[in-house]
Amino acid sequence: MDNINKEIGKRIWELRNKNGYTREFLSEKANISARFLYEIETGKKGMSVQVLMRLASSLNTDCNTLISGEAETDKYAYIEGLLSGLSEENFRRAEWIIYHFCKACES
């Protein structure tokens, strides 16, 4: 278990630095203490699923990336692939649905 904590902690540390975040900034954003974040990054402590989810969100990534180091499948590329196979009429229908769905989410 300690090796898993170290691997996850290293990925969090790498992403934090890649994003240019200080430990204090990320800990505030994820609603944990800077000391706890240090212990996570160094593999000294594990974390709950809720903390993992908050850290992933704060680092603009997904939990799978933090756990395994492999990003989730690019969802946009998948959707683009689906849309590219549609007839023009069905593409326009899909475009209308997506537009109205996005508008509803903004409200």
Side-chain angles (χ1 to χ4, degrees), residues 70-84:
E70 297 177 13
E72 287 184 356
T73 305
D74 184 352
K75 294 172 186 159
Y76 294 112
Y78 174 73
I79 292 169
E80 285 174 356
L82 291 175
L83 293 174
S84 68

Side-chain angles (χ1 to χ4, degrees), residues 9-72:
K10 181 180 177 191
R11 284 190 271 279
I12 291 169
W13 180 86
E14 288 170 347
L15 284 168
R16 178 174 65 78
N17 285 294
K18 181 181 175 185
N19 284 311
Y21 296 165
T22 63
R23 188 171 287 127
E24 291 73 21
F25 178 80
L26 179 58
S27 62
E28 238 178 77
K29 200 170 177 187
N31 197 28
I32 59 175
S33 72
R35 176 70 186 169
F36 184 41
L37 178 56
Y38 167 78
E39 291 171 334
I40 290 170
E41 287 181 341
T42 56
K44 294 177 182 176
K45 287 198 175 174
M47 71 202 95
S48 67
V49 173
Q50 291 84 3
V51 170
L52 179 70
M53 290 171 63
R54 289 197 312 260
L55 283 168
S57 176
S58 298
L59 291 165
N60 303 312
T61 192
D62 55 85
C63 293
N64 193 51
T65 299
L66 295 182
I67 294 168
S68 69
E70 297 177 13
E72 287 184 356

